[in-house]
Amino acid sequence: MKLPESTEWVLHSVTTLAQLEPGAAASAAQLAAHFDVPPAYLAKQLQALVRAGVLVAGPGPRGGFRLARPATDVTLLQIVEAVDGASPFYQCNELRQQGRGAVPPEQCRRTCALAARMADAEAAWRESLAGVTVADILAGLPRGLPRRTRALLSRAR
Amino acid sequence: MKLPESTEWVLHSVTTLAQLEPGAAASAAQLAAHFDVPPAYLAKQLQALVRAGVLVAGPGPRGGFRLARPATDVTLLQIVEAVDGASPFYQCNELRQQGRGAVPPEQCRRTCALAARMADAEAAWRESLAGVTVADILAGLPRGLPRRTRALLSRAR
DNA sequence: GTCCCGGTACTCGGATACTCACTGTCCGAGTACGTTCGG
DNA sequence: CCGAACGTACTCGGACAGTGAGTATCCGAGTACCGGGAC
């Protein structure tokens, strides 16, 4: 039960992209150097965000990645699910209906109580992440830091 | 981000043990046959529960596993953490202080906002699981099922 | 009949192979820019 | 001087290897029961 390390990379990447001026883009190589992570692998994860509709990518020298929507409309859950998949933590294989102690189907009309509680917990996790937007993260950043980020990632024209 | 399949096995195993008469035990082989899962591997996971203090194991022919505490004092979180480890989902590697865009330490006195929100979500998950005991699960079982379980797992004396 | 002893079968416990997702890397298709050549 | 065409450099995008946690398995140490034998 652990998120891939790349999850941290994309969370920081999206947060960083959100600090740029609207419409501005940064390349995977720039972001990789910004965080000192493998460029190719980061690019792979950013592609997943494009497929999920969180980012949009432009080709060519002045291409790169930028937010597909305002930062107020991008939640942490969308980012995490984009890179890690939306499959549930706990999958109920109806163990109660298998093996020596199989319970007759007519007593299994209600969903397995264990699966229900595990699903509740997972829903709590998802709701917590869905309640935080990238804009909320930006609001908590030290004053003046976005300006510095923009300067570091501005491209020589 | 997925729990091991063995998590489901131990959750059902503990729930099943809780249906037995107080003091009664069942062997790993019995439980494995009860759910049709690999006996040796299930045994390995049950050992983890013993190390975590959720179960106690007795040696010899009349040994086996039994609950270490009343079912009202065993939470789903304790079971999950016993088998899956209590390590956090998201580990903050202070990415903001690394690479080209490293932020000076004096601006990093507050914990990373991303890590904080991820930790909040994880806490919500853990609290949800910590709020459910094995006794709660038993209360939702079909009437008369514990009796059947006891009969299936009773040992020829 | 009663007690003691040995054998047996069953239990947990840890040490040992195998598989798949995560990690890391590479090269190919496509585009905007800078340069160069012609008018 | 102006315009267009070309070459170049940079971008994303998908296809290809390496590694650690999860999965599955086995065998050894220890104990309670069962039977037999001695008293």
Side-chain angles (χ1 to χ4, degrees), chain A:
Chain A
M1 190 65 171
K2 195 173 75 65
L3 282 86
E5 192 174 353
S6 52
T7 305
E8 184 181 6
W9 303 355
V10 297
L11 282 172
H12 279 274
S13 294
V14 172
T15 303
T16 301
L17 287 176
Q19 296 176 32
L20 303 181
E21 304 148 28
S27 71
Q30 281 182 305
L31 290 170
H34 198 76
F35 298 124
D36 191 25
V37 296
Y41 190 35
L42 176 60
K44 185 181 180 64
Q45 309 305 331
L46 294 178
Q47 288 170 26
L49 288 178
V50 172
R51 277 191 291 270
V54 175
L55 299 182
V56 290
R62 303 196 53 80
F65 296 93
R66 66 178 197 275
L67 287 182
R69 299 190 293 275
T72 52
D73 293 351
V74 179
T75 69
L76 297 190
L77 181 63
Q78 292 166 355
I79 299 171
V80 171
E81 286 191 342
V83 65
D84 194 60
S87 59
F89 303 166
Y90 180 89
Q91 184 183 359
C92 180
N93 298 110
E94 287 296 332
L95 217 59
R96 59 182 175 175
Q97 296 191 39
Q98 293 176 10
R100 175 90 173 76
V103 176
E106 62 262 26
Q107 295 208 3
C108 295
R109 300 188 57 183
R110 292 292 163 193
T111 63
C112 176
L114 285 169
R117 297 299 150 257
M118 295 299 286
D120 288 346
E122 184 173 335
W125 183 77
R126 296 202 130 88
E127 285 172 15
S128 180
L129 287 185
V132 182
T133 69
V134 174
D136 296 331
I137 299 296
L138 259 58
L141 256 49
R143 188 163 187 75
L145 200 143
R147 187 178 193 82
R148 195 182 86 103
T149 302
R150 281 195 293 270
L152 283 169
L153 290 179
S154 69
R155 314 183 171 199
R157 182 169 289 268

Side-chain angles (χ1 to χ4, degrees), chain B residues 24-155:
Chain B
S27 71
Q30 281 182 304
L31 291 170
H34 197 76
F35 299 124
D36 191 25
V37 297
Y41 189 35
L42 176 61
K44 184 181 180 64
Q45 309 304 331
L46 294 177
Q47 288 170 25
L49 288 178
V50 172
R51 277 191 292 271
V54 175
L55 299 182
V56 290
R62 302 197 54 81
F65 297 92
R66 66 177 198 275
L67 285 182
R69 300 189 292 276
T72 51
D73 294 351
V74 178
T75 68
L76 297 190
L77 180 62
Q78 291 165 356
I79 300 171
V80 171
E81 285 191 344
V83 66
D84 193 62
S87 59
F89 302 167
Y90 179 89
Q91 184 183 359
C92 178
N93 297 111
E94 287 295 332
L95 218 58
R96 57 182 176 175
Q97 296 190 41
Q98 292 177 11
R100 175 89 175 77
V103 175
E106 63 262 24
Q107 295 208 3
C108 296
R109 301 188 57 182
R110 295 291 163 195
T111 63
C112 176
L114 287 169
R117 297 299 151 257
M118 295 299 285
D120 288 346
E122 184 172 336
W125 183 76
R126 295 201 131 88
E127 286 172 16
S128 179
L129 288 185
V132 182
T133 70
V134 174
D136 296 331
I137 299 296
L138 259 59
L141 256 50
R143 188 163 188 77
L145 200 144
R147 187 177 194 82
R148 195 183 86 105
T149 303
R150 281 196 293 270
L152 283 170
L153 291 179
S154 68
R155 312 182 174 202

